[in-house]
Amino acid sequence: MRIYITKDYNEMSRKAANIISAQIILKPDSVLGLATGSTPLGIYKQLSEWYMKGDLDFSEVITVNLDEYRGLAPDCEESYAYYMKQNLFDKVNIKPENTHLPDGRIMNPEEACRLYNELLIKTGIQDLQLLGLGRNGHIGFNEPSDIFAKDVHCVELSQSTVDANKKFFASGKSVPSHAYTMGIRSILRAKRILVIASGEDKADAVNKVFFGEVTPYVPGSILQLHDDVILVCDEGAFSKCK
Ligand code: GLP
């Protein structure tokens, strides 16, 4: 594993955006696994700026997102499909048909997961998978559990995840109870994994994920078994690591 510790959030975003843009420049038709949440926002802003300056071309890039809320359509402002359009896809020259997320409109979990599993196989393995960390060490929406779920599956969100994600929902709207997410095998098959974390409230998660026991109770800890992981985090997020 390679670790880059940055001074702050902005430096973390720039460093991670650099790694992603190098991937696109070296392989213009890269398959990128993408993440949502507040942490990647600075990265997407930086990538959009580099595209505007003419330094990056997304015309051949293919993307597969980690997860989506069950029950939210892509035009719903709280959906991850909407987030991706707002923060990246509408700002660069990526082809809409090359961007993929689980379909939150499908309420039948078996069907939604089967379709996204099939799509992931069709698009091919991720050249680079971007990952944020939940405060409980979750990756995608793989919540702490007795087992590592392998493929795309439907999860019931833990209370801490619901609470953490409330900030993205307008008042009066509640966070859906379930989400569709890539499983551990879908994530680990990526050739390279780029993990980002910022701030002291992620310090416990970073320490447990990278330096603790490998256990499904800390889902991200499985990343210790992947041979090409890059962690880019700021000093706050690294503050509990020895
Ligand atoms: C959600 C997403 C995760 C993300 C996590 C952390 O639960 N499903 O993919 O990593 O939030 O989000 P944030 O970056 O807002 O802390």
Side-chain angles (χ1 to χ4, degrees):
M1 177 176 58
R2 266 180 291 162
I3 304 176
Y4 295 97
I5 303 164
T6 65
K7 190 169 82 271
D8 56 21
Y9 177 78
N10 287 341
E11 208 182 278
M12 178 211 75
S13 302
R14 205 178 154 80
K15 178 72 197 162
N18 248 309
I19 293 169
I20 297 173
S21 68
Q23 174 66 46
I24 298 172
I25 290 165
L26 288 172
K27 186 169 183 272
D29 61 348
S30 288
V31 177
L32 300 181
L34 296 180
T36 51
S38 40
T39 316
L41 287 171
I43 298 175
Y44 295 148
K45 188 163 177 279
Q46 181 66 79
L47 292 174
S48 309
E49 282 170 18
W50 284 335
Y51 163 72
M52 288 297 286
K53 276 175 65 190
D55 292 340
L56 265 185
D57 175 17
F58 287 79
S59 62
E60 291 179 61
V61 169
I62 296 166
T63 65
V64 284
N65 262 76
L66 283 167
D67 44 20
E68 179 59 284
Y69 291 109
R70 175 172 173 261
L72 298 193
D75 59 354
C76 169
E77 286 182 25
E78 286 83 8
S79 72
Y80 285 162
Y82 193 91
Y83 167 107
M84 289 310 303
K85 268 170 76 65
Q86 285 282 313
N87 294 301
L88 185 69
F89 298 158
D90 282 353
K91 301 198 163 153
V92 299
N93 64 336
I94 195 161
K95 296 190 181 97
E97 63 271 26
N98 284 351
T99 66
H100 310 283
L101 290 98
D103 191 339
R105 290 167 299 191
I106 304 175
M107 293 305 284
N108 176 339
E110 273 173 29
E111 194 196 347
C113 298
R114 179 182 56 77
L115 286 172
Y116 202 53
N117 265 321
E118 286 173 8
L119 190 135
L120 291 178
I121 290 164
K122 217 171 86 194
T123 45
I125 61 176
Q126 305 93 304
D127 292 291
L128 180 70
Q129 174 67 56
L130 178 64
L131 278 187
L133 291 181
R135 279 157 196 74
N136 58 8
H138 76 226
I139 51 176
F141 268 134
N142 289 272
E143 295 281 34
S145 128
D146 294 343
I147 50 149
F148 287 113
K150 296 192 187 87
D151 297 311
V152 178
H153 58 288
C154 181
V155 275
E156 182 173 4
L157 302 179
S158 71
Q159 193 54 46
S160 75
T161 300
V162 169
D163 292 343
N165 288 335
K166 269 184 189 150
K167 60 177 186 273
F168 295 110
F169 284 73
S171 67
K173 286 195 181 173
S174 49
V175 181
S177 57
H178 289 77
Y180 301 133
T181 182
M182 279 189 198
I184 294 301
R185 177 160 54 199
S186 347
I187 294 171
L188 287 196
R189 70 184 191 143
K191 289 181 194 158
R192 171 172 282 175
I193 298 179
L194 171 59
V195 185
I196 48 167
S198 170
E200 281 177 19
D201 62 336
K202 292 291 173 74
D204 253 333
V206 170
N207 188 32
K208 284 186 182 145
V209 163
F210 293 103
F211 303 102
E213 187 196 342
V214 177
T215 159
Y217 296 109
V218 183
S221 62
I222 194 91
L223 295 170
Q224 292 178 35
L225 306 183
H226 192 284
D227 60 11
D228 192 354
V229 174
I230 304 174
L231 167 65
V232 182
C233 71
D234 61 19
E235 286 169 3
F238 203 72
S239 58
K240 291 208 173 148
C241 303
K242 309 254 163 16

